[in-house]
């Protein structure tokens, strides 16, 4: 996944809240599946609310035409904005927003996964985090879906290779637009729209 995008003090606090709290234990090297579950279990135990983002991959090697790659990069920037706006590891009721573009690599590393294994198992990890969000839905957990507002690329604005599957999984887990737990966040290439 793409490296973290800076983000200032809030991102630093979020990262410290995850790493320092033991959610991500980078020294752990047991069986991969056990470590992956252990990392997710720590996320479950440490945060009152766990949000998750469905976003196109916007880093090096993103697929598509030049215009699609720019739009995916904008989606990744909007996901960073949503992460900043919907994470607070210092609050009484701690909130974590899982951004796959920045957090998959941290969780995979903590579980001892190689980059190749991470690429092969990202859906598994995303789904495990969705399961934590589902368990914490009553506390306010949400699924945020990055949706490009321009119809010239794809009519529905869903640009990520796995996003349709993520949306289906979120709906199957009980997240929906009616109760505000499934939130579509529109963005443009210049990310001129505010994250909800």
């Amino acid at each position: 996944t793409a490296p973290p995008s800076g983000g200032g003090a809030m991102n630093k606090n979020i990262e410290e809240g995850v790493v320092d709290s033991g959610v991500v234990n980078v020294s752990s090297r047991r069986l991969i599946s056990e470590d992956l579950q252990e990392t997710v279990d720590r996320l479950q135990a440490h945060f009152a609310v766990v949000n998750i983002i469905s976003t196109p991959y916007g880093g090096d090697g993103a697929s598509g035409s030049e215009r699609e790659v720019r739009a995916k990069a904008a989606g990744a920037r909007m996901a960073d904005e949503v992460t900043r706006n919907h994470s607070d590891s210092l609050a009484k009721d701690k909130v974590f927003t899982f951004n796959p573009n920045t957090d998959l690599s941290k969780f995979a590393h903590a579980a001892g996964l190689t980059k190749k294994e991470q690429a092969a198992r990202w859906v598994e990890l995303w789904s495990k985090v969705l399961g934590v969000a589902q368990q914490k839905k009553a506390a306010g957990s949400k699924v945020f879906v990055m949706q490009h507002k321009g119809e010239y690329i794809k009519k529905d604005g869903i640009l990520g290779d796995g996003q349709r599957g993520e949306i289906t999984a979120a709906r199957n887990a009980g997240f929906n637009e009616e109760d505000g737990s499934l939130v579509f966040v529109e963005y443009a290439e210049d990310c001129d729209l505010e994250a909800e």
Side-chain angles (χ1 to χ4, degrees), residues 10 14-15 21 36 38 50-51 55 67 82 95 97 101 110 115 135 156 161 163 168-170 181 184 192:
M10 181 57 85
I14 293 164
E15 188 170 317
S21 69
L36 190 56
E38 184 178 307
V50 174
N51 300 312
T55 181
R67 193 172 206 179
V82 169
V95 178
T97 297
N101 283 336
K115 287 187 179 196
Q135 291 172 7
D156 64 1
D161 295 335
Q163 280 190 278
T168 299
S181 61
F184 286 82
D192 60 353

Side-chain angles (χ1 to χ4, degrees), residues 4 17 24 43 83 123 132 142 146 157 160 166 170-171 184 190 194:
V24 176
L43 182 68
T83 301
V123 172
V132 174
K142 298 180 187 309
M146 302 304 104
E166 292 168 350
R171 286 185 172 137
F184 286 82
D190 58 2
E194 290 295 315

Side-chain angles (χ1 to χ4, degrees), residues 1-7 11 15 57-60 76-77 80 99-103 105-106 115 118:
T1 62
S5 65
N11 273 354
E15 188 170 317
Y57 173 68
D60 293 337
R77 288 191 305 275
D80 290 342
N99 181 344
N101 283 336
T102 55
D103 294 324
S105 62
K106 294 174 193 172
K115 287 187 179 196
Q118 175 189 330

